């Protein structure tokens, strides 16, 4: 069931230990910007934590309880970013999708490409009917991206997350098979 996700520019591969160095470098490069929204993405993120996280992800993938893809540029082999499909509720057909893009790769359409490829995987391979994207109310780039890929705004969630131990409000966007707007470069190949 678990496969590689191919788009025109990217290959999305299951997170694995062969990516440990590339992932750590991307996190360290991205921490000053991406870390504003992702509590774990910070300058202190260690090689040990990175390896442990990848091992955790591999274990969850084996159990089919969570799916984590690393997206690599097919031409340059650069580590573009990741997506995490978690909190899967198979009986009711929904999941949460989170993502991040390497700071050096922002504003190039990669987030939309990653989201649409991962959502297609959720709808087609996992047979889900709903993908949820939760975005901090101040993360305007991710809000715009969620809308761009067809995310339907469903409301504001009070204290949905924590950043630096402070409660943060979030917006909920729902993606559905009939609302997903495919990124032109996210077409499966």
């Amino acid at each position: 069931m678990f496969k590689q996700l191919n788009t025109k520019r990217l290959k999305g591969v299951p997170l694995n230990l062969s990516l440990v160095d590339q992932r750590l470098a991307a996190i360290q490069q991205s921490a000053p910007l991406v870390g504003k929204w992702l509590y774990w993405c910070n300058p202190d993120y260690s090689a040990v934590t990175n390896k442990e996280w990848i091992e955790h992800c591999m274990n969850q993938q084996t159990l089919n309880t969570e799916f984590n893809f690393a997206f690599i540029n097919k031409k340059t082999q650069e580590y573009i970013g990741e997506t995490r499909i978690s909190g899967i509720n198979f009986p009711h057909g929904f999941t949460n999708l989170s993502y991040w893009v390497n700071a050096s790769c922002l504003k190039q359409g990669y987030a939309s490409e990653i989201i649409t490829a991962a959502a297609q995987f959720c709808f087609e391979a996992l047979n889900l009917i709903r993908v949820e994207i939760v975005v901090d109310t101040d993360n305007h780039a991710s809000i715009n991206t969620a809308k761009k890929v067809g995310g339907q705004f469903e409301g504001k969630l009070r204290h949905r997350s924590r950043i630096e131990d402070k409660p943060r409000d979030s917006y909920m966007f729902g993606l559905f098979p009939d609302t997903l707007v495919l990124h032109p470069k996210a077409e499966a190949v």
Side-chain angles (χ1 to χ4, degrees), residues 70-189:
F71 283 83
I72 310 297
N73 184 300
K74 288 179 179 178
K75 288 183 183 175
T76 66
Q77 300 305 305
E78 182 177 9
Y79 199 98
I80 302 300
E82 293 175 12
T83 188
R84 180 179 184 207
I85 300 162
S86 62
I88 303 170
N89 186 318
F90 284 108
H92 293 288
F94 69 89
T95 192
N96 179 271
L97 188 146
S98 57
Y99 57 92
W100 67 275
V101 174
N102 188 335
S104 68
C105 304
L106 296 173
K107 298 186 187 286
Q108 298 176 47
Y110 287 122
S112 300
E113 192 170 343
I114 288 169
I115 293 168
T116 54
Q120 283 181 293
F121 171 77
C122 291
F123 298 138
E124 295 168 10
L126 301 179
N127 198 32
L128 302 177
I129 57 173
R130 173 186 175 83
V131 171
E132 297 176 347
I133 299 175
V134 178
V135 180
D136 187 283
T137 57
D138 290 334
N139 189 341
H140 302 292
S142 281
I143 291 166
N144 291 335
T145 301
K147 290 176 182 177
K148 181 178 175 182
V149 299
Q152 307 295 297
F153 176 75
E154 296 183 330
K156 184 176 180 179
L157 308 173
R158 187 165 182 245
H159 292 186
R160 177 58 171 78
S161 64
R162 253 192 283 222
I163 297 178
E164 296 176 358
D165 281 334
K166 293 181 181 129
R168 300 287 304 171
D169 295 343
S170 299
Y171 292 135
M172 171 71 76
F173 291 90
L175 274 176
F176 309 93
D178 63 339
T179 65
L180 180 64
V181 176
L182 296 180
H183 186 283
K185 294 179 180 163
E187 274 180 30
V189 291

